[in-house]
Amino acid sequence: MNAEPFELGVLDAAEHLASGTVTSVELMRALLDRADQVEPSLNSLCWRDRELALVAAREADEARAAGDARPWLGVPLAVKDVLNVAGQPCTAGSAILQGYVAPYDATVVARLKAAGFILFARANTDEFAMGSSTETSVYGPTRNPWDAERTPGGSSGGSAAVVAARLAPAALGTDTSGSIRQPAAFCGVTGFKPTTGRISRFGCVALAPSLDQIGAIARSVEDAAVLYQVMAGVDPRDAMTSSRAVDLDLENLCAASDLRGVRLGWVQSDAGADLDPDVEALVRAAVKACRELGAEVIEVDLPHQRYGMPCYSVLVSAEASASLARYDGVRYGRRVPADDLQEMMAQTRAQGFGREVKRRLILGTHVLSRGGYERYYERACKVRELIRRDYARVFEQCDALVGPVAPTTAWRLGEPAADPPRMVRADTYTVGANLAGLCALSLPCGFTATGLPVGLQVVGPAFEDARILRIGAAYQHATEWHWRQPGLGEES
Ligand code: GLN
């Protein structure tokens, strides 16, 4: 084997496990040893259990020896700390869920386990996935593997850092307005937000159910596609899931070598996001590379794109205030004792939630109040419809959109808190896919002169997940940005 075991992605690990050049125990041990080495400075994982992980790996090796031929048997994965895995803590990075241990598996977790994956570690997140920098977690901030003075993005910043730092072959994240794609871009890894309704959210801590989506953060498009294929499909326990067949041909994806016959749209309208010129130059170079692979690139317009974040801010707060009403000290996690029930609930919420969560709950309660409902919530729903129509019109002209993931590279730690409006604008390019229920991919497409990764976003129509994965795979087969690894203080 040329690579160290901890460097293997999902497909590579599966191949080595099948051929016997590595065992699941060796792989797991290598990942855990590496975590011991780099986690003190990275803080990307908020839970791992060495003994349990090694027991699961040993069981996988024994099953394989006894003839179990499931391709993903014994491949380790990390999950964002918002997904329930039976027997593991699930805290959404919040003090209010301290002490809560999941009594059941989320649907995605059950499916991945059935396919043989081992969910051995939990990745840090902004509290209740509210944030773009993984700084609001009760476990403290995660650092960017490319620059320890910077954030990994968020809210799935732990998951992206884990994959970039080679602490797991891949990780699961969630994306409500960009939380898979933006940290993937900031950490130089691949992130995939599938179409709304493709993947069940049952067992995932809800932020805004009309926008939340689970997806993979991985080294490559193929690895992300593998996890997508295992997770996707209808689930009676998530009413938003679709029964449409999941048509993904992994072999076809691995063979994608050009973009002939593909028409890509480049958005012309000024989104008001203050796009950094260095980022823009790298994204334009990536689009040129797509053209060289045979794609036709046309200019298109999303006139309401600039209203995406104001619209999102209203909707996410409204939905969060409903989703988080259940954390009352009675059913889950932490309880602050008090003389009566009302006081107990009030104290539990006052002490259990962090500042950003409280800010949104207050805002959400206001926008759903009498008067606020018509003025804010209903209007936001109408704007959301305008945005959805913009995309529907644009996808009559092209197969997919290409553009930046985020307007900047990774921020310095502390920077987002000092400039909240900038933080909000940061999701301008990603939020449309959530508001309109589309699929979207974040691909490493280069590095700035200071060595920070930049991401290219590919957005496709609803249920055309296979199409954008194929575009992403063709791009990655012609480029090598996604194979770059951060040094992490050692020679790379
Ligand atoms: N920046 C977004 C927010 O704070 C990220 C949400 C998400 O995608 N989970 O709401």
Side-chain angles (χ1 to χ4, degrees), residues 271-273 305-306 308-309 391 405 407 424-432:
Q305 189 177 36
R306 57 167 55 242
M309 280 316 289
Y391 281 102
V405 175
V424 169
R425 288 198 301 276
D427 289 348
T428 298
Y429 300 115
T430 45
V431 71

Side-chain angles (χ1 to χ4, degrees), residues 126-141:
D126 279 297
E127 186 178 4
F128 285 103
M130 297 180 192
S132 304
S133 63
T134 319
E135 290 176 294
T136 66
S137 165
V138 69
Y139 305 106

